[in-house]
């Protein structure tokens, strides 16, 4: 059994309207699902991804309005690395960030920046066999679109235990110093452990968890493997758009293993993903109570290409 790289990454925001503006307008991602946190349905769960809401491109946020700023530390992911196509693309983004007042820094084959709440990102030119996962946008030319996740950077107090778990339980391959990749038949994604900056705490601008992608048929077997390793793991939870299990790896990072499918077009047409509030069937009875509590968001259709442009 092999995991198919990163499924999604979930972070926290204190300001959903600015979050939508940053990730849809500025970064050119598509809002593919506007839903609620299924463990706290009074707050948003926003999903940004490629055109089809594919696993491997899905960056999601819980909104806790006016949440205090968090600080990344031990047991947390602190940087998300996205693939891009070329050095010309890095130059495009350097100019775009400059015109928007977003500070950025060139690194080898990449460009680092943070969102308005401090969540760290990097755009990196990489050569991989994986299909690119791009979204259409009126703001970002297709040749400069983000192309899906490449890796995350995280800190743990004792990398040896975390790395052993990746090798022996989750079947990752070591691909560099403190770097480990999950690569399946179609896609790969990695995690890199870096020295711990000390204790952190959750809040706006921090990553809540990272999900690794599993084919549907392997999901129960992954749960059994984690349980056999001695770690606590949740039962399979049906999130409607995918199924999930959760466990904390030895360094404290919250890992999810999520299935590839059923997908975000389960309850919306592919052409109108993310344009209205979508509630899984078991939450639909809460719509009248929940909808007035949610923050009004920008209309993302203004940044979507027309059907003619998309074709």
């Amino acid at each position: 059994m092999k995991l198919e790289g990163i499924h999604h990454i979930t972070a926290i925001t204190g300001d959903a309207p600015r979050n939508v503006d940053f990730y849809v307008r500025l970064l050119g991602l598509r809002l593919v699902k506007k839903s609620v946190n299924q463990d706290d349905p009074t707050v948003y769960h926003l999903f940004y991804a490629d055109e089809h809401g594919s696993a491997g491109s899905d960056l999601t946020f819980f909104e806790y309005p006016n949440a205090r700023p968090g600080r990344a530390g031990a047991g947390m992911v602190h940087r998300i690395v996205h693939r891009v196509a070329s050095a010309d693309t890095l130059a495009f983004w350097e100019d775009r960030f400059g015109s928007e007042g977003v500070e950025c820094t060139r690194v080898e084959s990449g460009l680092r920046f943070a969102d308005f709440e401090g969540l760290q990102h990097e755009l990196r030119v990489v050569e991989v066999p994986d299909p690119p996962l791009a979204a259409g946008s009126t703001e970002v030319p297709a040749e400069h679109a983000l192309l899906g996740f490449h890796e995350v950077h995280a800190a743990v107090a004792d990398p040896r235990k975390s790395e052993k778990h990746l090798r022996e339980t989750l079947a990752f391959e070591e691909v560099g110093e403190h770097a480990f990749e999950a690569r399946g038949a179609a896609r790969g994604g990695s995690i890199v452990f870096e020295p711990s900056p000390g204790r952190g705490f959750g809040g706006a601008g921090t990553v809540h968890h990272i999900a690794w992608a599993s084919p549907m048929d392997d999901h129960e077997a992954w749960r059994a493997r984690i349980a056999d390793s001695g770690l606590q793991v949740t039962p399979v939870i049906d999130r409607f758009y995918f199924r999930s299990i959760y466990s904390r790896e030895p360094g404290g990072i919250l890992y999810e293993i999520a299935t590839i499918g059923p997908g975000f077009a389960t309850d919306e047409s592919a052409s109108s993903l993310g344009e209205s509030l979508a509630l899984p069937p078991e939450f639909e009875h809460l719509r009248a109570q929940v909808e007035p509590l949610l923050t009004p968001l920008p209309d993302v259709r203004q940044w979507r290409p027309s059907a003619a442009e998309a074709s």
Side-chain angles (χ1 to χ4, degrees), residues 9-10 73-79 152-159 161-163 165-166 170 178 191-194 207-212 231-232 245-257:
I9 299 165
T10 294
M76 301 171 74
V77 169
H78 59 260
R79 179 174 294 116
V152 296
H153 292 208
V156 291
D158 185 353
K161 294 180 180 179
S162 295
E163 293 169 1
H165 175 66
L166 290 178
L170 299 184
H178 302 301
I191 184 167
V192 180
F193 294 111
E194 296 180 344
V207 171
H208 184 271
H209 66 269
I210 178 170
W212 306 101
L231 292 179
Q232 291 188 331
I245 56 174
Y246 301 85
S247 66
R248 287 202 181 270
E249 57 83 47
I253 302 169
L254 181 58
Y255 283 172
E256 175 183 353
I257 296 180

Side-chain angles (χ1 to χ4, degrees), residues 272-288:
S272 60
L273 291 176
E275 293 178 6
S276 59
L277 181 66
L279 298 177
E282 64 190 273
F283 293 89
E284 187 58 48
H285 70 283
L286 298 174
R287 182 178 290 273

Side-chain angles (χ1 to χ4, degrees), residues 22-304:
F22 190 92
Y23 288 95
V24 179
R25 183 190 63 81
L26 181 58
L27 291 191
L29 299 177
R30 184 180 185 187
L31 180 64
V32 294
K33 191 63 60 178
K34 180 168 63 174
S35 191
V36 295
N37 181 343
Q38 294 183 23
D39 298 319
D40 180 3
T42 64
V43 300
Y44 275 126
H45 195 179
L46 304 175
F47 297 76
Y48 308 105
D50 73 339
E51 197 64 19
H52 308 289
S54 305
S57 67
D58 188 10
L59 179 58
T60 93
F61 286 86
F62 300 140
E63 188 212 24
Y64 291 97
N66 304 309
R68 69 174 184 177
R71 183 176 67 205
M76 301 171 74
V77 169
H78 59 260
R79 179 174 294 116
I80 301 167
V81 180
H82 310 257
R83 297 169 180 166
V84 294
S86 68
D88 287 346
T89 292
L90 296 180
F92 166 84
W93 282 106
E94 193 168 24
D95 289 345
R96 182 163 173 78
F97 290 147
S99 68
E100 293 277 347
V102 176
E103 292 186 9
C104 58
T105 304
R106 283 275 193 158
V107 294
E108 185 178 359
S109 300
L111 185 69
R112 288 183 178 173
F113 65 99
D115 75 4
F116 63 96
E117 293 174 306
L119 182 59
Q120 298 289 322
H121 295 273
E122 180 181 327
L123 307 181
R124 188 181 301 174
V125 180
V126 296
E127 292 187 13
V128 290
D130 310 0
L133 303 177
S137 168
T138 59
E139 306 299 301
V140 178
E143 64 270 23
H144 298 317
L146 278 59
L147 303 178
F149 299 128
H150 185 62
E151 67 188 25
V152 296
H153 292 208
V156 291
D158 185 353
R160 293 171 298 178
K161 294 180 180 179
S162 295
E163 293 169 1
K164 181 181 179 183
H165 175 66
L166 290 178
R167 282 193 304 266
E168 297 183 5
T169 304
L170 299 184
F172 279 57
E173 298 289 336
E174 191 165 0
V175 293
E177 186 175 8
H178 302 301
F180 293 80
E181 181 184 46
R183 176 158 291 281
R187 197 161 193 86
S190 302
I191 184 167
V192 180
F193 294 111
E194 296 180 344
S196 172
R199 186 176 179 182
F201 54 87
T206 63
V207 171
H208 184 271
H209 66 269
I210 178 170
W212 306 101
S214 167
M216 187 74 75
D217 292 344
D218 294 344
H219 201 230
E220 290 278 6
W222 282 116
R223 185 188 181 281
R225 184 178 287 187
I226 294 168
D228 289 345
S229 77
L231 292 179
Q232 291 188 331
V233 59
T234 68
V236 173
I237 301 171
D238 187 349
R239 298 298 192 190
F240 190 63
Y241 308 112
F242 45 84
R243 295 170 190 160
S244 303
I245 56 174
Y246 301 85
S247 66
R248 287 202 181 270
E249 57 83 47
I253 302 169
L254 181 58
Y255 283 172
E256 175 183 353
I257 296 180
T259 58
I260 302 170
F264 292 117
T266 304
D267 58 352
E268 294 182 286
S269 69
S271 62
S272 60
L273 291 176
E275 293 178 6
S276 59
L277 181 66
L279 298 177
E282 64 190 273
F283 293 89
E284 187 58 48
H285 70 283
L286 298 174
R287 182 178 290 273
Q289 299 168 246
V290 166
E291 208 155 15
L293 301 177
L294 299 174
T295 313
L297 298 180
D299 186 345
V300 294
R301 291 175 294 184
Q302 65 187 302
W303 304 310
R304 292 285 301 150

